Each structure stands twice: as C-alpha cells, then as structure tokens.
Coordinates of all heavy atoms in Angstrom, one line a residue:
M1 N -117.7 -97.1 -31.4 CA -118.0 -95.7 -31.0 C -119.4 -95.4 -31.1 O -119.8 -94.2 -30.9 CB -117.1 -94.8 -31.9 CG -115.7 -94.9 -31.6 SD -114.9 -93.5 -32.5 CE -113.2 -93.9 -32.1
H2 N -120.3 -96.4 -31.4 CA -121.7 -96.1 -31.4 C -122.3 -95.9 -30.0 O -121.7 -96.4 -29.0 CB -122.4 -97.3 -32.1 CG -122.0 -97.5 -33.5 ND1 -122.3 -96.6 -34.5 CD2 -121.2 -98.4 -34.1 CE1 -121.8 -97.0 -35.7 NE2 -121.1 -98.1 -35.4
L3 N -123.4 -95.2 -30.0 CA -124.0 -95.0 -28.7 C -124.9 -96.2 -28.4 O -125.6 -96.8 -29.2 CB -124.9 -93.7 -28.8 CG -124.1 -92.4 -29.1 CD1 -125.1 -91.3 -29.2 CD2 -123.1 -92.2 -28.0
P4 N -125.0 -96.5 -27.1 CA -125.9 -97.6 -26.7 C -127.3 -97.2 -26.6 O -127.6 -96.0 -26.7 CB -125.4 -98.0 -25.3 CG -124.7 -96.7 -24.8 CD -124.2 -96.0 -26.0
A5 N -128.2 -98.2 -26.6 CA -129.6 -97.9 -26.4 C -129.8 -97.3 -25.0 O -129.4 -97.9 -24.0 CB -130.5 -99.2 -26.5
P6 N -130.4 -96.1 -24.9 CA -130.5 -95.4 -23.6 C -131.2 -96.2 -22.5 O -130.7 -96.2 -21.4 CB -131.3 -94.1 -23.9 CG -131.1 -93.9 -25.4 CD -131.0 -95.3 -26.0
V7 N -132.3 -96.8 -22.8 CA -133.0 -97.6 -21.7 C -132.1 -98.7 -21.2 O -131.9 -98.9 -20.0 CB -134.4 -98.1 -22.2 CG1 -135.0 -98.9 -21.1 CG2 -135.3 -96.9 -22.5
A8 N -131.6 -99.5 -22.1 CA -130.8 -100.7 -21.7 C -129.5 -100.2 -20.9 O -129.1 -100.8 -19.9 CB -130.4 -101.5 -22.9
F9 N -128.9 -99.1 -21.4 CA -127.7 -98.5 -20.8 C -128.1 -98.1 -19.4 O -127.3 -98.3 -18.4 CB -127.2 -97.4 -21.6 CG -125.9 -96.9 -21.1 CD1 -124.7 -97.5 -21.5 CD2 -125.8 -95.7 -20.4 CE1 -123.5 -97.0 -21.0 CE2 -124.6 -95.2 -19.9 CZ -123.4 -95.9 -20.3
G10 N -129.2 -97.4 -19.2 CA -129.7 -96.9 -17.9 C -129.9 -98.0 -16.9 O -129.5 -97.9 -15.8
I11 N -130.4 -99.2 -17.4 CA -130.6 -100.4 -16.6 C -129.2 -100.9 -16.1 O -129.0 -101.2 -14.9 CB -131.4 -101.4 -17.3 CG1 -132.8 -101.0 -17.4 CG2 -131.3 -102.8 -16.5 CD1 -133.6 -101.8 -18.4
C12 N -128.3 -101.0 -17.1 CA -126.9 -101.4 -16.7 C -126.2 -100.5 -15.7 O -125.6 -101.0 -14.8 CB -126.1 -101.5 -18.0 SG -124.4 -102.1 -17.8
V13 N -126.4 -99.2 -15.9 CA -125.8 -98.2 -15.0 C -126.4 -98.4 -13.6 O -125.7 -98.5 -12.6 CB -126.1 -96.8 -15.5 CG1 -125.8 -95.8 -14.4 CG2 -125.3 -96.5 -16.7
A14 N -127.7 -98.5 -13.5 CA -128.4 -98.7 -12.2 C -127.9 -100.0 -11.5 O -127.7 -100.0 -10.3 CB -129.9 -98.7 -12.3
E15 N -127.9 -101.1 -12.3 CA -127.5 -102.4 -11.7 C -126.0 -102.3 -11.2 O -125.7 -102.9 -10.2 CB -127.7 -103.5 -12.7 CG -129.2 -103.8 -12.9 CD -129.4 -104.9 -13.9 OE1 -128.4 -105.5 -14.5 OE2 -130.6 -105.2 -14.2
T16 N -125.2 -101.7 -12.0 CA -123.8 -101.6 -11.6 C -123.6 -100.8 -10.3 O -122.9 -101.1 -9.4 CB -122.9 -100.9 -12.8 OG1 -123.1 -101.7 -13.9 CG2 -121.5 -100.8 -12.4
A17 N -124.3 -99.6 -10.2 CA -124.3 -98.8 -9.0 C -124.8 -99.6 -7.8 O -124.2 -99.5 -6.7 CB -125.1 -97.5 -9.2
T18 N -125.8 -100.4 -8.0 CA -126.4 -101.2 -6.9 C -125.4 -102.2 -6.4 O -125.1 -102.4 -5.2 CB -127.7 -101.9 -7.3 OG1 -128.7 -100.9 -7.6 CG2 -128.2 -102.8 -6.2
R19 N -124.7 -102.8 -7.4 CA -123.7 -103.8 -7.0 C -122.5 -103.2 -6.2 O -122.0 -103.8 -5.3 CB -123.2 -104.6 -8.2 CG -124.2 -105.5 -8.8 CD -123.7 -106.2 -10.1 NE -124.8 -107.0 -10.6 CZ -124.5 -108.1 -11.3 NH1 -123.3 -108.6 -11.4 NH2 -125.5 -108.8 -11.8
L20 N -122.1 -102.0 -6.7 CA -121.0 -101.3 -5.9 C -121.5 -101.0 -4.5 O -120.7 -101.1 -3.6 CB -120.6 -100.1 -6.7 CG -119.8 -100.3 -8.0 CD1 -119.7 -99.1 -8.8 CD2 -118.5 -100.9 -7.7
R21 N -122.7 -100.5 -4.4 CA -123.2 -100.1 -3.1 C -123.3 -101.4 -2.2 O -123.2 -101.3 -0.9 CB -124.6 -99.5 -3.2 CG -124.6 -98.1 -3.5 CD -126.0 -97.4 -3.3 NE -125.9 -96.1 -3.7 CZ -126.3 -95.6 -4.9 NH1 -126.8 -96.4 -5.8 NH2 -126.2 -94.3 -5.2
N22 N -123.5 -102.5 -2.8 CA -123.6 -103.8 -2.0 C -122.2 -104.4 -1.8 O -122.2 -105.5 -1.3 CB -124.5 -104.7 -2.7 CG -126.0 -104.3 -2.6 OD1 -126.4 -103.5 -1.7 ND2 -126.8 -104.7 -3.6
G23 N -121.1 -103.7 -2.1 CA -119.8 -104.2 -1.8 C -119.2 -105.1 -2.9 O -118.1 -105.6 -2.7
S24 N -119.8 -105.2 -4.1 CA -119.2 -106.0 -5.1 C -118.0 -105.2 -5.8 O -118.0 -104.0 -5.8 CB -120.2 -106.3 -6.2 OG -121.2 -107.1 -5.8
N25 N -117.1 -106.0 -6.3 CA -116.0 -105.4 -7.1 C -116.4 -105.5 -8.5 O -117.0 -106.5 -9.0 CB -114.7 -106.2 -6.9 CG -114.2 -106.1 -5.5 OD1 -114.1 -105.0 -5.0 ND2 -113.7 -107.2 -4.9
I26 N -116.2 -104.5 -9.3 CA -116.6 -104.4 -10.7 C -115.5 -104.0 -11.6 O -114.7 -103.2 -11.3 CB -117.7 -103.2 -10.8 CG1 -118.9 -103.4 -9.9 CG2 -118.2 -103.1 -12.3 CD1 -119.8 -104.6 -10.2
A27 N -115.4 -104.7 -12.7 CA -114.4 -104.4 -13.7 C -115.2 -104.0 -15.0 O -116.1 -104.7 -15.4 CB -113.5 -105.6 -14.0
I28 N -114.8 -102.8 -15.5 CA -115.5 -102.3 -16.7 C -114.5 -102.1 -17.8 O -113.5 -101.4 -17.6 CB -116.3 -101.0 -16.4 CG1 -117.3 -101.3 -15.3 CG2 -116.9 -100.4 -17.6 CD1 -118.0 -100.0 -14.8
H29 N -114.8 -102.6 -19.0 CA -113.8 -102.4 -20.1 C -114.6 -102.5 -21.4 O -115.6 -103.1 -21.5 CB -112.6 -103.3 -20.0 CG -113.0 -104.8 -20.3 ND1 -113.0 -105.3 -21.6 CD2 -113.3 -105.8 -19.5 CE1 -113.3 -106.5 -21.6 NE2 -113.6 -106.9 -20.3
C30 N -114.0 -101.9 -22.4 CA -114.4 -102.1 -23.8 C -113.1 -102.3 -24.6 O -112.0 -102.5 -24.0 CB -115.3 -101.0 -24.3 SG -114.5 -99.4 -24.3
Y31 N -113.1 -102.1 -25.9 CA -111.9 -102.3 -26.6 C -110.7 -101.5 -26.1 O -109.7 -102.0 -25.9 CB -112.2 -101.9 -28.1 CG -111.0 -102.2 -29.0 CD1 -110.6 -103.5 -29.3 CD2 -110.2 -101.1 -29.5 CE1 -109.5 -103.7 -30.1 CE2 -109.1 -101.4 -30.3 CZ -108.7 -102.7 -30.6 OH -107.6 -102.9 -31.4
A32 N -110.9 -100.2 -25.9 CA -109.8 -99.3 -25.4 C -110.0 -98.8 -24.0 O -109.2 -98.1 -23.5 CB -109.5 -98.2 -26.4
S33 N -111.2 -99.1 -23.5 CA -111.6 -98.6 -22.2 C -111.6 -97.1 -22.1 O -111.2 -96.5 -21.1 CB -110.7 -99.2 -21.1 OG -110.9 -100.6 -21.0
I34 N -112.0 -96.4 -23.1 CA -112.1 -95.0 -23.2 C -113.5 -94.5 -23.5 O -114.1 -93.8 -22.7 CB -111.1 -94.4 -24.2 CG1 -109.7 -94.7 -23.9 CG2 -111.3 -92.9 -24.3 CD1 -108.7 -94.4 -25.0
G35 N -114.1 -95.0 -24.6 CA -115.4 -94.5 -25.0 C -116.6 -95.2 -24.3 O -117.1 -94.6 -23.4
R36 N -116.9 -96.4 -24.6 CA -118.1 -97.0 -24.1 C -117.9 -97.3 -22.6 O -118.8 -97.1 -21.8 CB -118.4 -98.3 -24.8 CG -118.9 -98.0 -26.2 CD -118.8 -99.2 -27.1 NE -117.4 -99.5 -27.3 CZ -116.9 -100.6 -28.0 NH1 -117.8 -101.4 -28.5 NH2 -115.7 -100.8 -28.1
S37 N -116.8 -97.8 -22.2 CA -116.6 -98.1 -20.7 C -116.5 -96.7 -20.0 O -117.0 -96.6 -18.9 CB -115.3 -98.9 -20.5 OG -114.2 -98.3 -20.9
G38 N -115.9 -95.7 -20.6 CA -115.9 -94.4 -20.0 C -117.2 -93.8 -19.8 O -117.5 -93.3 -18.7
M39 N -118.1 -94.1 -20.7 CA -119.5 -93.6 -20.6 C -120.2 -94.3 -19.4 O -120.9 -93.7 -18.6 CB -120.3 -93.9 -21.9 CG -119.9 -93.0 -23.0 SD -121.1 -93.1 -24.4 CE -121.2 -94.8 -24.7
L40 N -120.0 -95.6 -19.3 CA -120.6 -96.4 -18.2 C -120.0 -95.9 -16.9 O -120.8 -95.7 -15.9 CB -120.3 -97.9 -18.4 CG -120.9 -98.8 -17.3 CD1 -122.4 -98.6 -17.2 CD2 -120.6 -100.2 -17.6
V41 N -118.8 -95.8 -16.7 CA -118.2 -95.3 -15.4 C -118.7 -94.0 -15.1 O -119.1 -93.7 -13.9 CB -116.6 -95.4 -15.5 CG1 -116.0 -94.8 -14.2 CG2 -116.2 -96.8 -15.7
C42 N -118.7 -93.0 -16.0 CA -119.2 -91.7 -15.7 C -120.7 -91.7 -15.3 O -121.0 -91.1 -14.3 CB -119.1 -90.8 -17.0 SG -117.4 -90.3 -17.4
A43 N -121.5 -92.5 -15.9 CA -122.9 -92.6 -15.6 C -123.1 -93.2 -14.2 O -123.9 -92.8 -13.4 CB -123.7 -93.3 -16.6
V44 N -122.3 -94.2 -13.9 CA -122.4 -94.8 -12.6 C -122.0 -93.8 -11.5 O -122.6 -93.7 -10.4 CB -121.5 -96.1 -12.5 CG1 -121.3 -96.6 -11.1 CG2 -122.0 -97.2 -13.4
L45 N -120.9 -93.0 -11.8 CA -120.5 -92.0 -10.8 C -121.7 -91.0 -10.5 O -121.8 -90.5 -9.4 CB -119.3 -91.3 -11.3 CG -118.0 -92.0 -11.2 CD1 -116.9 -91.2 -11.8 CD2 -117.7 -92.4 -9.8
G46 N -122.6 -90.8 -11.5 CA -123.7 -90.0 -11.2 C -124.6 -90.5 -10.1 O -125.2 -89.7 -9.4
H47 N -124.6 -91.8 -9.9 CA -125.4 -92.4 -8.8 C -124.7 -92.2 -7.4 O -125.2 -92.4 -6.4 CB -125.5 -93.9 -9.0 CG -126.6 -94.3 -10.0 ND1 -127.8 -94.7 -9.6 CD2 -126.5 -94.2 -11.3 CE1 -128.5 -94.9 -10.7 NE2 -127.8 -94.6 -11.8
F48 N -123.5 -91.7 -7.5 CA -122.7 -91.4 -6.3 C -122.4 -89.9 -6.1 O -121.5 -89.4 -5.4 CB -121.4 -92.2 -6.3 CG -121.6 -93.6 -6.2 CD1 -121.8 -94.4 -7.3 CD2 -121.8 -94.3 -5.0 CE1 -122.0 -95.8 -7.3 CE2 -122.0 -95.6 -4.9 CZ -122.2 -96.4 -6.0
G49 N -123.3 -89.1 -6.8 CA -123.3 -87.6 -6.5 C -122.4 -86.8 -7.5 O -122.4 -85.6 -7.4
Y50 N -121.8 -87.4 -8.5 CA -121.0 -86.7 -9.5 C -121.9 -86.0 -10.5 O -122.9 -86.6 -10.9 CB -120.1 -87.6 -10.2 CG -118.9 -88.0 -9.5 CD1 -119.0 -88.9 -8.4 CD2 -117.6 -87.6 -9.8 CE1 -117.8 -89.3 -7.7 CE2 -116.5 -88.0 -9.2 CZ -116.6 -88.8 -8.1 OH -115.5 -89.2 -7.4
T51 N -121.6 -84.8 -10.9 CA -122.3 -84.2 -12.1 C -121.6 -84.7 -13.3 O -120.5 -85.2 -13.3 CB -122.1 -82.7 -12.0 OG1 -120.7 -82.3 -12.1 CG2 -122.7 -82.1 -10.7
P52 N -122.3 -84.5 -14.5 CA -121.6 -85.0 -15.7 C -120.2 -84.4 -16.0 O -119.3 -85.2 -16.2 CB -122.6 -84.6 -16.8 CG -124.0 -84.7 -16.1 CD -123.7 -84.1 -14.8
P53 N -120.0 -83.1 -15.8 CA -118.7 -82.6 -16.1 C -117.7 -83.1 -15.1 O -116.5 -83.4 -15.4 CB -118.8 -81.0 -15.9 CG -120.3 -80.8 -16.1 CD -121.0 -82.0 -15.6
H54 N -118.1 -83.2 -13.8 CA -117.2 -83.7 -12.8 C -116.8 -85.2 -13.0 O -115.6 -85.6 -12.9 CB -117.8 -83.5 -11.4 CG -116.9 -83.9 -10.3 ND1 -117.3 -84.4 -9.1 CD2 -115.5 -83.8 -10.1 CE1 -116.3 -84.7 -8.3 NE2 -115.2 -84.3 -8.9
A55 N -117.8 -86.0 -13.4 CA -117.6 -87.4 -13.7 C -116.6 -87.5 -14.9 O -115.6 -88.3 -14.8 CB -118.9 -88.1 -14.0
I56 N -116.8 -86.8 -16.0 CA -116.0 -86.9 -17.1 C -114.5 -86.5 -16.8 O -113.6 -87.1 -17.2 CB -116.5 -86.0 -18.3 CG1 -117.8 -86.7 -18.8 CG2 -115.5 -85.8 -19.4 CD1 -118.6 -85.8 -19.8
A57 N -114.4 -85.4 -16.0 CA -113.1 -84.9 -15.6 C -112.4 -85.9 -14.7 O -111.2 -86.2 -14.9 CB -113.2 -83.6 -14.9
H58 N -113.1 -86.5 -13.8 CA -112.5 -87.5 -12.9 C -112.1 -88.8 -13.6 O -111.0 -89.2 -13.4 CB -113.5 -87.8 -11.8 CG -113.0 -88.8 -10.8 ND1 -112.1 -88.5 -9.9 CD2 -113.3 -90.1 -10.6 CE1 -111.8 -89.5 -9.1 NE2 -112.5 -90.5 -9.5
V59 N -113.0 -89.3 -14.5 CA -112.6 -90.5 -15.2 C -111.4 -90.2 -16.2 O -110.5 -91.1 -16.3 CB -113.8 -91.1 -15.9 CG1 -113.4 -92.3 -16.8 CG2 -114.9 -91.5 -14.9
S60 N -111.4 -89.1 -16.8 CA -110.3 -88.7 -17.7 C -109.0 -88.7 -16.9 O -108.0 -89.2 -17.4 CB -110.6 -87.4 -18.4 OG -111.7 -87.5 -19.2
K61 N -109.0 -88.1 -15.7 CA -107.8 -88.0 -14.9 C -107.4 -89.4 -14.5 O -106.2 -89.7 -14.6 CB -108.1 -87.1 -13.7 CG -106.9 -87.0 -12.8 CD -107.2 -86.1 -11.6 CE -106.0 -86.0 -10.6 NZ -106.4 -85.3 -9.4
M62 N -108.3 -90.2 -14.0 CA -107.9 -91.5 -13.5 C -107.5 -92.4 -14.6 O -106.6 -93.2 -14.5 CB -109.1 -92.2 -12.8 CG -109.5 -91.5 -11.5 SD -108.2 -91.5 -10.2 CE -107.6 -89.9 -10.2
R63 N -108.1 -92.3 -15.8 CA -107.7 -93.1 -17.0 C -106.4 -92.6 -17.6 O -105.7 -93.4 -18.3 CB -108.9 -93.0 -17.9 CG -108.8 -93.9 -19.2 CD -108.8 -95.4 -18.8 NE -108.6 -96.1 -20.1 CZ -107.5 -96.5 -20.6 NH1 -106.4 -96.1 -19.9 NH2 -107.4 -97.1 -21.7
G64 N -106.1 -91.3 -17.5 CA -104.9 -90.8 -18.1 C -105.0 -90.4 -19.5 O -104.1 -90.0 -20.2
V65 N -106.3 -90.4 -20.0 CA -106.6 -90.0 -21.4 C -108.0 -89.3 -21.4 O -108.8 -89.6 -20.5 CB -106.6 -91.2 -22.4 CG1 -105.2 -91.8 -22.6 CG2 -107.6 -92.2 -22.1
P66 N -108.2 -88.4 -22.3 CA -109.6 -87.8 -22.3 C -110.7 -88.9 -22.6 O -110.5 -89.7 -23.4 CB -109.5 -86.9 -23.5 CG -108.1 -86.6 -23.7 CD -107.4 -87.9 -23.3
V67 N -111.7 -88.8 -21.7 CA -112.8 -89.7 -21.8 C -114.0 -88.8 -22.0 O -114.1 -87.8 -21.3 CB -112.9 -90.5 -20.5 CG1 -114.2 -91.3 -20.5 CG2 -111.7 -91.5 -20.4
P68 N -114.9 -89.1 -22.9 CA -115.0 -90.2 -23.8 C -114.3 -89.9 -25.1 O -113.7 -88.9 -25.2 CB -116.5 -90.4 -24.0 CG -117.1 -89.0 -23.9 CD -116.2 -88.3 -22.8
D69 N -114.6 -90.8 -26.1 CA -113.9 -90.7 -27.4 C -114.5 -89.5 -28.3 O -113.8 -88.9 -29.1 CB -114.0 -92.0 -28.2 CG -113.0 -93.0 -27.8 OD1 -111.9 -92.6 -27.4 OD2 -113.3 -94.2 -28.0
T70 N -115.8 -89.3 -28.2 CA -116.5 -88.4 -29.2 C -117.4 -87.4 -28.4 O -117.8 -87.7 -27.3 CB -117.3 -89.2 -30.2 OG1 -118.4 -89.8 -29.5 CG2 -116.5 -90.3 -30.9
A71 N -117.7 -86.4 -29.1 CA -118.6 -85.4 -28.6 C -120.0 -86.0 -28.4 O -120.7 -85.7 -27.5 CB -118.7 -84.2 -29.5
E72 N -120.4 -86.9 -29.3 CA -121.7 -87.6 -29.2 C -121.7 -88.4 -27.9 O -122.8 -88.5 -27.2 CB -121.9 -88.5 -30.4 CG -122.2 -87.7 -31.7 CD -120.9 -87.3 -32.4 OE1 -119.8 -87.7 -32.0 OE2 -121.0 -86.4 -33.2
Q73 N -120.6 -89.1 -27.6 CA -120.6 -89.9 -26.3 C -120.7 -88.9 -25.1 O -121.3 -89.3 -24.1 CB -119.3 -90.7 -26.3 CG -119.3 -91.9 -27.3 CD -118.0 -92.6 -27.3 OE1 -117.0 -92.1 -26.8 NE2 -118.0 -93.8 -27.9
A74 N -120.0 -87.8 -25.2 CA -120.1 -86.8 -24.1 C -121.5 -86.3 -23.9 O -122.0 -86.2 -22.8 CB -119.1 -85.7 -24.3
A75 N -122.2 -86.0 -25.0 CA -123.6 -85.6 -24.9 C -124.5 -86.7 -24.4 O -125.4 -86.4 -23.6 CB -124.1 -85.2 -26.3
F76 N -124.2 -87.9 -24.7 CA -124.9 -89.1 -24.2 C -124.8 -89.2 -22.7 O -125.7 -89.4 -22.0 CB -124.5 -90.4 -24.9 CG -125.3 -91.6 -24.5 CD1 -126.5 -91.9 -25.1 CD2 -124.9 -92.4 -23.5 CE1 -127.2 -93.0 -24.8 CE2 -125.6 -93.6 -23.1 CZ -126.8 -93.8 -23.8
I77 N -123.6 -89.0 -22.2 CA -123.3 -89.0 -20.7 C -124.2 -88.0 -20.1 O -124.8 -88.2 -19.1 CB -121.8 -88.8 -20.4 CG1 -121.0 -90.0 -20.9 CG2 -121.6 -88.5 -18.9 CD1 -119.5 -89.8 -20.9
H78 N -124.1 -86.8 -20.6 CA -124.9 -85.7 -20.0 C -126.4 -86.1 -20.0 O -127.1 -85.9 -19.0 CB -124.7 -84.4 -20.8 CG -123.4 -83.7 -20.4 ND1 -123.3 -82.8 -19.5 CD2 -122.2 -83.9 -21.0 CE1 -122.0 -82.4 -19.4 NE2 -121.3 -83.0 -20.3
Q79 N -126.9 -86.6 -21.1 CA -128.3 -87.0 -21.3 C -128.7 -88.1 -20.2 O -129.7 -87.9 -19.5 CB -128.6 -87.5 -22.7 CG -130.0 -88.0 -22.8 CD -130.2 -88.7 -24.2 OE1 -129.3 -88.8 -25.0 NE2 -131.3 -89.3 -24.3
I80 N -127.9 -89.1 -20.2 CA -128.2 -90.3 -19.3 C -128.1 -89.9 -17.9 O -128.9 -90.4 -17.0 CB -127.4 -91.5 -19.7 CG1 -128.1 -92.8 -19.3 CG2 -126.0 -91.4 -19.0 CD1 -129.0 -93.3 -20.2
M81 N -127.2 -89.0 -17.5 CA -127.1 -88.6 -16.1 C -128.1 -87.5 -15.7 O -128.3 -87.3 -14.5 CB -125.7 -88.0 -15.9 CG -124.6 -89.1 -15.9 SD -122.9 -88.5 -15.7 CE -123.0 -88.1 -13.9
T82 N -128.8 -86.9 -16.6 CA -129.7 -85.8 -16.2 C -131.1 -86.1 -16.5 O -132.0 -85.4 -16.2 CB -129.3 -84.5 -16.9 OG1 -129.3 -84.6 -18.3 CG2 -128.0 -84.0 -16.4
T83 N -131.4 -87.3 -17.2 CA -132.7 -87.7 -17.5 C -133.2 -88.7 -16.4 O -132.5 -89.7 -16.2 CB -132.8 -88.4 -18.9 OG1 -132.3 -87.5 -19.9 CG2 -134.2 -88.8 -19.2
P84 N -134.4 -88.4 -15.8 CA -134.9 -89.3 -14.8 C -135.1 -90.7 -15.4 O -135.5 -90.9 -16.6 CB -136.2 -88.7 -14.4 CG -136.2 -87.3 -14.9 CD -135.2 -87.3 -16.0
A85 N -134.9 -91.7 -14.6 CA -135.1 -93.1 -15.0 C -136.6 -93.3 -15.3 O -137.4 -92.8 -14.6 CB -134.6 -94.1 -14.0
P86 N -136.9 -94.2 -16.3 CA -138.4 -94.5 -16.6 C -139.1 -95.2 -15.4 O -138.5 -95.8 -14.6 CB -138.3 -95.3 -17.8 CG -136.9 -95.7 -18.0 CD -136.0 -94.9 -17.1

C-alpha cells in the first residue's frame, strides 16, 4: 500500500500509454489489483483525456471494487495526473 516514487511512476505511466497508443496489449496487476495497479491504470487514463475523478470512478466501476485502496493513493493519483512531467 506504499506510494511509488513519483518520477519512476510517471515514466512507467508514459511508457504504458505509449505502448497502448502503438497497439500493444497491456496487463497490469499487483497483489489484489486495486491499489497500486489501480493507480497505474488511472494515471494512464489521464493520457487519454480522463480527469482524476473520472479515471478513479471508471476504474472502480470496471474493477467492481473501489479503487484505490487508500486516501493517500487517491491523492497520489490526483498529483501524478495534474503535475506536468519533468
């Protein structure tokens, strides 16, 4: 349930979005596929026009459980999706 390093996470998000744009299939998971993987999927959706609240709502609906696990993870999603890349 720990938060990832923002810069490394941002790189992973950008690379994942690029791969999806290029037609790759992507599988994302962590232990329960709610917290860390949910954060990644939400952040990737930001590259496709989703706002943080919309991304969280969409992933939660598709996953069938509230995403992410913690308030800190939700704040991290908002931060990573609204902070310009270095």
Side-chain angles (χ1 to χ4, degrees):
M1 291 190 182
H2 298 289
L3 299 178
V7 173
F9 188 81
I11 291 168
C12 181
V13 168
E15 289 179 2
T16 301
T18 297
R19 288 177 184 215
L20 287 170
R21 279 196 182 93
N22 291 334
S24 294
N25 294 315
I26 303 290
I28 298 172
H29 70 88
C30 61
Y31 183 74
S33 294
I34 299 169
R36 291 162 294 177
S37 62
M39 290 191 308
L40 180 59
V41 173
C42 287
V44 168
L45 287 175
H47 283 257
F48 294 92
Y50 284 69
T51 63
H54 185 214
I56 290 170
H58 181 72
V59 174
S60 295
K61 180 180 177 186
M62 295 296 105
R63 183 68 183 87
V65 295
V67 171
D69 279 330
T70 68
E72 292 80 14
Q73 290 173 345
F76 185 84
I77 291 167
H78 284 268
Q79 175 191 354
I80 205 82
M81 289 179 74
T82 58
T83 302

